[in-house]
Amino acid sequence: LGAHFFTIVSRNIRMLLYEPRLSVNLALGTLRFVPQDDTELYSSIFTWWNILDRQMFHYDTKYNYQTGYTREVQLRRMIDLVREDNVSTYCEIGMNGGHSVAAMLEANPRVTAHVFDTMQFNYSRPIVDILSVHDGSRFHIHMGKSQKTVRAWHKQNSSKCDLIYMDGDHTDAVMHDFKNMQK
């Protein structure tokens, strides 16, 4: 009995001590798992990033930047910012693979995201689809050049952006984005 008995007892004690993390008997469409602490949050975000990386590679193998550009040090600062009490609307210019917007939506369940993107890559539509399914009414995509779509959104809404992430046009035209977002 010796070692085998202690293995079984040890396993049973661990099972008694664990706390379930998945909610059950929820309405359809309700999230069963919501991160409760930073460890769970970052695990969730990095899992999202793995999924988004695979989507990008699956739909557009010719590009060598399937992992997006947001670095972990940037992410940690962005999460600090999006968690501030006064942040309810997050705006992003240039979605690429959706890494940063997915992280912001995961980090703050109260935030709504407005993303302005040209949708120029083969993976753009599948990324929007997966984010739309997961985040529903909290994720809004504004397709087209941000120099036009930001102005149009601003005219139609009284909303303002509490937090802005700009990683769209990498030419001198970015000045239009700065001016439009300033309003």
Side-chain angles (χ1 to χ4, degrees), residues 72-113:
E72 188 172 344
V73 68
Q74 292 171 294
L75 170 69
R76 290 182 184 277
R77 179 63 180 130
M78 291 168 68
I79 285 174
D80 288 343
L81 292 170
V82 80
R83 285 176 159 176
E84 290 185 5
D85 292 338
N86 62 336
V87 176
S88 61
T89 304
Y90 168 79
C91 296
E92 180 171 306
I93 295 180
M95 176 186 69
N96 194 19
H99 296 77
S100 51
V101 68
M104 298 301 96
L105 289 165
E106 198 72 7
N108 185 343
R110 300 176 321 274
V111 81
T112 299

Side-chain angles (χ1 to χ4, degrees), residues 17-173:
L17 296 177
Y18 100 99
E19 290 185 42
R21 290 292 297 115
L22 291 179
S23 299
V24 294
N25 300 327
L26 297 171
L28 290 177
T30 304
L31 298 176
R32 292 191 303 150
F33 174 76
V34 177
Q36 297 296 314
D37 58 31
D38 283 355
T39 300
E40 289 184 358
L41 175 64
Y42 284 102
S43 294
S44 179
I45 289 170
F46 295 150
T47 299
W48 261 106
W49 284 14
N50 286 339
I51 293 166
L52 295 170
D53 291 348
R54 296 301 294 169
Q55 288 285 100
M56 293 172 75
F57 183 72
H58 177 77
Y59 288 100
D60 239 330
T61 57
K62 67 183 175 184
Y63 292 103
N64 62 357
Y65 51 84
Q66 282 92 3
T67 58
Y69 289 119
T70 303
R71 302 295 177 248
E72 188 172 344
V73 68
Q74 292 171 294
L75 170 69
R76 290 182 184 277
R77 179 63 180 130
M78 291 168 68
I79 285 174
D80 288 343
L81 292 170
V82 80
R83 285 176 159 176
E84 290 185 5
D85 292 338
N86 62 336
V87 176
S88 61
T89 304
Y90 168 79
C91 296
E92 180 171 306
I93 295 180
M95 176 186 69
N96 194 19
H99 296 77
S100 51
V101 68
M104 298 301 96
L105 289 165
E106 198 72 7
N108 185 343
R110 300 176 321 274
V111 81
T112 299
H114 288 273
V115 176
F116 305 87
D117 194 82
T118 58
M119 304 291 289
Q120 70 188 44
F121 300 108
N122 292 336
Y123 55 75
S124 297
R125 173 49 57 192
I127 295 294
V128 164
D129 290 345
I130 196 169
L131 291 171
S132 295
V133 166
H134 184 267
D135 293 300
S137 63
R138 296 178 53 224
F139 174 76
H140 304 276
I141 185 75
H142 305 274
M143 295 181 238
K145 290 187 177 259
S146 57
Q147 292 82 12
K148 293 180 181 179
T149 57
V150 169
R151 282 195 314 251
W153 175 73
H154 182 67
K155 283 182 184 178
Q156 294 175 354
N157 290 288
S158 60
S159 299
K160 64 178 180 61
C161 304
D162 301 312
L163 181 62
I164 300 168
Y165 181 62
M166 293 176 48
D167 190 18
D169 198 323
H170 292 233
T171 69
D172 291 341

